[in-house]
Amino acid sequence: MKKHFPLLGLMGLLALGCNESSREVGDTEAALTASADSTNLQAALQTITAANVLEHTRVLASDAFEGRGPGTAGEDSTVNYLTRKFKEIGLQPGNPDGTYVQNVPMVGFTAVPKASFQAGGKTIPLNFPSDYVAVSRRFVPSIDINNSEVVFVGYGIVAPEYGWDDFKGLDVKGKTIVMLINDPPIPSGANAGELDTTMFGGKAMTYYGRWTYKYEIAAEKGAAAAIIIHETGPAGYPYEVVSGSWSRENFDIQKPNKNMDRAAVEGWITQAKAQQLFSAAGKDLSQLKQAALQKDFKPVPLDATASFSIQNKLREIQSKNVIAKLEGSDPKLKDEYVVYSAHWDHLGKDETLQGDQIYNGALDNATGTAGLIELAEAYAAMPTKPKRSILFLAVTAEEKGLLGSKYYAENPLYPLNKTVANINMDVLNAYGPTEDVVVIGYGNSTLEDVLAEEAATQDRRIVPEASPEKGSFYRSDHFEFAKQGVPALYSKSGVVARNQPPDYVQKWNDNYTANDYHKLSDEVRDDWNLDGAVEDLQLFLRVGYKVANTEKFPEWKPGTEFKAKREASLSAAAPDSTVAL
C-alpha cells in the first residue's frame, strides 16, 4: 500500500525514514536475541531428565556416603563427587584460588547433658533426649549451671518497631529463661479468627519467631540458659526432628572468642515436660501463653530453679563449600553473578543405633544437590553462554544452622554488590507435575515476578506458601544471602498436582514430614515421580537465564526487611554498573 505524508517536508520524510530504519534494526536485533535465547534454552532444557536427577540422588543418598555428615568420610565422598561432576561438565573452578572448594572452618561439638528442675519442693528430672535437648556453643570442655532462677519471658522478643518488649527491663543475667516458639499470634480485633497483620507480619513469621533469634536475644541479655518450649504445630515439625538433630554432633563456625558471648546453655523442652514444670511451680502454662499475647506482658518468675551439666566433646574441622563457575559471555556483565545454591549435607551416621545407622537424606537434600548438577550441565550445553556468570554453590552444614551459606555470605568469593540473585533449592518434588509453584516468602522481591512470567510458559501459576507462620523463609540457605541484601528466590512445587485428587500433595507432604523428614527412612523410593522435579528445574533454569541476561538487577520490594541492606551495598557499586536503584 502506498503511503501518503501530506504534512511532512523533506527533512520530515528523511527523519521518518531514519526512525523506521532504527525500528527495523531494533526489531531485527530483538528477533535475533529471541531466537538465540530459544536456541540456548532448548539445548539446555532437554538435558534435564528424571533419570539424571535420580542417578545423582541415588549416589549421594547411598550408604557409601554415610549420610553426608560434615567432617566425616561422607563429606569427603560428597565433595569429591561434586568436584568430579563439575569438572566433567566443563565448569571452571568457582574459587578464584583455582579450586572448586571454599574452606569453612568449624568446630564440632557433641554435648553430653544432664539437667533437672526444682519446683514446689520437688525435683523434676529431665531425660535426654526424650524430654529435652541442650547444648553449649561455647567451645569449652564443660559447662555447669547450678540452681539458676527460672523465668518465663513469653516469646522472648524485643521488637521496638512493634512497641514490643518481653523483658520489660528485667535483669536475666545468670538466669534460665523459658520461651515460646514463633511470633506472638495476635488476634485481629476487626476480623474474628484472623491475625493482626500490623503485628509481626500477621500469619507470616518474622525473624523474631525463629529459634536462632531467641538464642541471640538470650545471649544479648546475659541469660545463663535459654530454653524453648517445643510445639509441633507452630514449629512445623515434630519434636523428634529437634531431638534427632541436637542429640548428636553439632557445629558452629570457628570464632576467635570461642563463642563465649553465647548463653552457656541453649536447648529445647517438650510441651508436656514444660507443663509439668509450670504446674509444679503453681502456674498455668496455657494462661501464661494467653497473657504473652499482650504488649503489657511482663516476665514471670516461676519460683523454680534449673541445673545443667554439659560435657563437650570438641573437634576443629575444615568443612567445605563446593563451587563451580560458568563464565558469562558479555565482557562487562561477566563480572556479575547469578548464584544457584543447594546444601549437600545431611545428618550423617548415628553409631549408637541398632540396625540402620545412616540418615541418607535422599529428598533432603540429595535431590536438591542433584538438581544443582543438572542445572550446571544444562547451562554448559548452551551454544551461547548467558551474559552474566553463573555460580553453582553446594554448601555445607545447612542442617547445623545454615553455616555453609552463612560463611559464604559473610566471606564471599565474589562481591555481593555484583551478585545479582540467589536461587536456592532444598528438597525437590518427588510426587509429580503441579499446576502451581509455591513462593516461600511471597511478596519479597521482583524475582518472583520473573518466576511468574516463566511459570506461565509451563501453564503454571505462582502462589504464596500456605503456612507462612512456620517461617520457612528463614530455614534454608537463601536466607543468608537475603540477610546480606542479595535478592533471593526460594520456591517449591505447588500444592495442586496434575491429574490427582485435590488433597494429593497435602497428604504426600504430611506423610513425608511425619514419617521421613530427618529420619532414617528418608531414602530413595521406587514410587517417586520426578517429572515434577524436572519441571521445576527447567523453571529455575528459565528464571536464572532471564536474570543473567536482563540489564536491570532484581530488587527487594518496598517494605521488605532486606531492602535497606541491599541499597547500602549497591551504593558502593561501580558508577558504570547496570544496577538500578
Side-chain angles (χ1 to χ4, degrees), residues 385-426:
K385 302 303 180 279
K387 293 179 180 180
R388 293 188 174 93
S389 295
I390 313 294
L391 301 177
F392 303 92
L393 176 64
V395 294
T396 182
E398 187 269 356
E399 302 290 6
K400 306 302 182 183
L402 315 182
L403 298 182
S405 53
K406 179 180 181 179
Y407 189 81
Y408 180 89
E410 293 181 351
N411 303 274
L413 298 176
Y414 302 90
L416 294 183
N417 60 14
K418 295 289 187 180
T419 301
V420 180
N422 168 240
I423 301 172
N424 186 55
M425 297 170 291
D426 196 348

Side-chain angles (χ1 to χ4, degrees), residues 119-146:
K122 301 177 182 178
T123 298
I124 302 173
L126 296 171
N127 296 315
F128 170 82
S130 58
D131 294 332
Y132 80 106
V133 289
V135 301
S136 179
R137 295 182 185 273
R138 294 183 177 183
F139 302 147
V140 294
S142 63
I143 291 288
D144 288 292
I145 297 174
N146 296 309

Side-chain angles (χ1 to χ4, degrees), residues 312-328:
N312 250 354
K313 180 181 178 182
L314 303 169
R315 66 181 180 117
E316 294 185 0
I317 64 170
Q318 285 285 352
S319 192
K320 292 177 172 63
N321 291 332
V322 184
I323 184 168
K325 176 182 175 181
L326 182 91
E327 187 168 80

